[in-house]
Amino acid sequence: AILCQDIASGTASCLDGIILANELATPFELIIDENSLYWSNKGTKDHLGNHNNDASIMKMNIDGASMRTLATFQNHPYALACNANQIYWTACSIDKSYGEIKRVPIDGGSITIIASRESCPNSITFDETHIYWTESTSFTGNTGRVMKIKNEEGNTPIEIASGLVSHNSIQLMNNYLYFIESIYSLGRILSVSRDGGSTEVFVEKNLWYISDLLIDDKFLYWTTDYLSSPAYLKKKSLDNGAISNIAVVE
């Protein structure tokens, strides 16, 4: 079943799950627009557990019809983002030594490499002129960075923030980037101007593992989980108000 939550009313309901697609090659990241679902397939593995070179970027209608492949033979696609014309994704090698930022038209076509030779880019977002992402070469060391690049070929990435621990989600609103910094079960949410500058703490570090972010023009939302404890959906206003719980999953 799928647990649904109405953010405005706070009521929760449980709906019967409907299988839209099956027998996929390890589906991973999933995003949606008004008409379609997009996701990455991480691909299959050989008998030694090594990934085969068959990862892909996929699309289908929200009713499950017309599934099609937008990109094939990809190197470990990770995070996705899309607008009305393009879908963007990050890719990272298994040993975290090589990464890329790519895009393809949402109806398929030629793949464009926006940035390459990056240190394992993971989460991604964008605005009218730039693409932003987090990257890290370690789950524990202070090797993480927030980067940006102009949304066209032939430009050099610019570092916005550095010296960060592993992070896995980034959102943009009102000229500020919000992202997760986490190590094992400890997590916090930081912010930084999209033009660079000092990093600010938006949510203090605590014992809850923060796993994902969403944002609108008023609130930042995130999920938390810690071992056998309940999982929470939380929110905080962008004007730095109090944190509140939206839902609890036992």
Side-chain angles (χ1 to χ4, degrees):
I2 300 173
L3 181 66
C4 302
Q5 177 70 41
D6 186 319
I7 293 176
S9 67
T11 59
S13 62
C14 204
L15 303 178
D16 291 333
I18 299 173
I19 297 176
L20 298 178
N22 56 16
E23 298 183 5
L24 303 174
T26 317
F28 186 66
E29 182 82 350
L30 174 70
I31 60 174
I32 189 171
D33 62 19
E34 292 182 356
N35 302 305
S36 302
L37 295 168
Y38 308 87
W39 72 95
S40 58
N41 282 332
K42 300 196 77 171
T44 60
K45 296 182 180 180
D46 62 22
H47 67 286
L48 296 177
N50 300 313
H51 282 273
N52 297 312
N53 188 28
D54 58 354
S56 57
I57 306 298
M58 307 293 295
K59 174 184 179 179
M60 71 179 176
N61 299 347
I62 57 176
D63 62 1
S66 302
M67 184 167 64
R68 50 212 180 273
T69 303
L70 301 181
T72 56
F73 304 110
Q74 296 302 302
N75 181 27
H76 298 89
Y78 192 77
L80 305 177
C82 70
N83 58 20
N85 301 306
Q86 304 280 339
I87 182 166
Y88 303 83
W89 69 95
T90 61
C92 178
S93 61
I94 295 177
D95 62 2
K96 295 181 176 291
S97 64
Y98 186 87
E100 296 176 316
I101 309 296
K102 298 182 179 183
R103 75 179 184 212
V104 70
I106 59 171
D107 291 322
S110 299
I111 297 172
T112 301
I113 298 175
I114 303 297
S116 60
R117 301 189 181 280
E118 296 302 306
S119 298
C120 200
N122 37 57
S123 53
I124 185 172
T125 189
F126 59 87
D127 59 19
E128 297 83 0
T129 58
H130 287 80
I131 301 171
Y132 308 85
W133 68 92
T134 59
E135 64 179 38
S136 179
T137 59
S138 170
F139 291 110
T140 56
N142 296 325
T143 62
R145 303 189 296 175
V146 178
M147 307 291 293
K148 75 175 183 180
I149 194 172
K150 286 186 177 180
N151 191 359
E152 56 191 35
E153 292 181 89
N155 287 284
T156 301
I158 299 171
E159 182 181 278
I160 297 177
S162 62
L164 305 170
V165 188
S166 177
H167 32 265
N168 61 355
S169 188
I170 188 169
Q171 296 288 338
L172 171 65
M173 182 62 66
N174 299 330
N175 298 321
Y176 279 86
L177 294 159
Y178 299 84
F179 56 95
I180 298 168
E181 183 182 55
S182 60
I183 175 171
Y184 301 118
S185 61
L186 301 177
R188 64 178 181 171
I189 300 173
L190 305 179
S191 67
V192 66
S193 168
R194 63 181 175 181
D195 296 320
S198 60
T199 301
E200 304 291 337
V201 177
F202 186 73
V203 174
E204 291 286 353
K205 185 179 294 184
N206 53 59
L207 291 177
W208 299 98
Y209 177 74
I210 302 173
S211 56
D212 207 357
L213 299 178
L214 286 175
I215 200 167
D216 60 25
D217 59 350
K218 294 182 180 180
F219 293 96
L220 184 70
Y221 307 87
W222 66 94
T223 55
T224 66
D225 190 14
Y226 181 60
L227 300 178
S228 60
S229 300
Y232 289 88
L233 174 61
K234 295 173 176 281
K235 72 175 182 179
K236 181 178 180 178
S237 63
L238 297 181
D239 59 5
N240 223 10
I243 297 172
S244 58
N245 293 333
I246 300 174
V248 181
V249 180
E250 300 292 341

